[in-house]
Amino acid sequence: MNNAIHKWNEKYADDTLVFGSTPNGFLVEESKRLPKACDILCVGDGEGRNGVWLAEQGFDILSVDGAENGVKKAIKQARLRKVSERFKGLCVDLLQWDWPENCYDALVCLHLYFMPEDRPRMHRAMLESLKTKGLIILEVFHPDNVGRGCGGPPLRELCYSADDLESDFKNADILFLKETEREIAPSSFHNGGFGKVTRMVAQK
Ligand SMILES: C[S@@+](CC[C@H](N)C(=O)[O-])C[C@H]1O[C@@H](n2cnc3c(N)ncnc32)[C@H](O)[C@@H]1O
């Protein structure tokens, strides 16, 4: 298990949902672009707050995360919320995964961070996992978020700017790309506040 995954697995160890069960606001806004009842790959889905919400909206979800405790909690949430038939959980390190190709109608990637040497390869794999015209909805913290105390990676190089994403997704049609401030909900690790994020919607 890599170090980042190990830390998340420990954070997910008890019964509390670390990020709660409310889905990410950018995902909720952008979900209107998704075709009805399509297949969606949710990467770094943690305890499933986003994947389970999407299953409730009628989508078929593969929720992938490296932290076993997170995947177990996501599967349990899907069962409690009665969407198990549309929600599969898979525990895998995405850096080692044999990524599917041309399989999904959409991919959701919310606050999943890779080191600069891995990031372009991971973003390429995400794009390749999509069918033609498939959509990626992605939000991450911007490097300027570091030091604000509202959560997110502590290192600038782990956060992504719009330029980083423009370069990684140069082979996709970028439909939306913005660096912006938004309120960060309090979690088990911080009291919330205003964070700076980078948001993107791209199409294969
Ligand atoms: C900040 S959390 C975000 C969780 C979820 N997307 C959400 O918004 O609630 C980052 C997640 O990425 C997962 N992760 C980090 N590196 C990973 C990797 N190499 N393979 C699979 N999952 C990874 C962690 O286990 C963690 O659940």
Side-chain angles (χ1 to χ4, degrees), residues 2 4-5 8-9 12 19 24 43-50 64-67 92-95 109-114:
N2 83 38
I5 292 176
W8 281 107
N9 203 41
Y12 296 145
F19 295 113
N24 173 281
V43 289
D45 196 37
E47 300 163 310
R49 68 189 175 117
N50 299 307
V64 182
D65 200 281
V92 71
D93 180 349
L94 293 161
L95 288 165
C109 178
L110 298 162
H111 295 276
L112 169 64
Y113 298 91
F114 295 105

Side-chain angles (χ1 to χ4, degrees), residues 39-55:
D39 290 325
I40 303 183
L41 178 59
C42 293
V43 289
D45 196 37
E47 300 163 310
R49 68 189 175 117
N50 299 307
V52 173
W53 178 79
L54 284 166

Side-chain angles (χ1 to χ4, degrees), residues 161-180:
S161 65
D163 284 350
D164 294 328
L165 294 178
E166 209 161 20
S167 157
D168 291 355
F169 290 97
K170 58 180 178 296
N171 293 328
D173 286 333
I174 295 183
L175 308 180
F176 177 90
L177 182 60
K178 191 171 183 183
E179 298 175 347
T180 187

Side-chain angles (χ1 to χ4, degrees), residues 4-77:
I5 292 176
H6 179 71
K7 283 189 187 151
W8 281 107
N9 203 41
E10 291 196 334
K11 288 177 184 176
Y12 296 145
D14 68 21
D15 281 345
T16 322
L17 292 174
V18 167
F19 295 113
S21 56
T22 307
N24 173 281
F26 182 58
L27 171 64
V28 174
E29 270 168 40
E30 294 299 328
S31 61
K32 61 183 179 295
R33 295 183 193 252
L34 297 167
K36 290 233 174 319
C38 67
D39 290 325
I40 303 183
L41 178 59
C42 293
V43 289
D45 196 37
E47 300 163 310
R49 68 189 175 117
N50 299 307
V52 173
W53 178 79
L54 284 166
E56 287 176 332
Q57 312 312 304
F59 300 106
D60 285 304
I61 304 302
L62 178 62
S63 164
V64 182
D65 200 281
E68 196 181 358
N69 289 333
V71 176
K72 281 185 186 158
K73 286 163 91 176
I75 291 170
K76 183 175 172 191
Q77 282 301 304

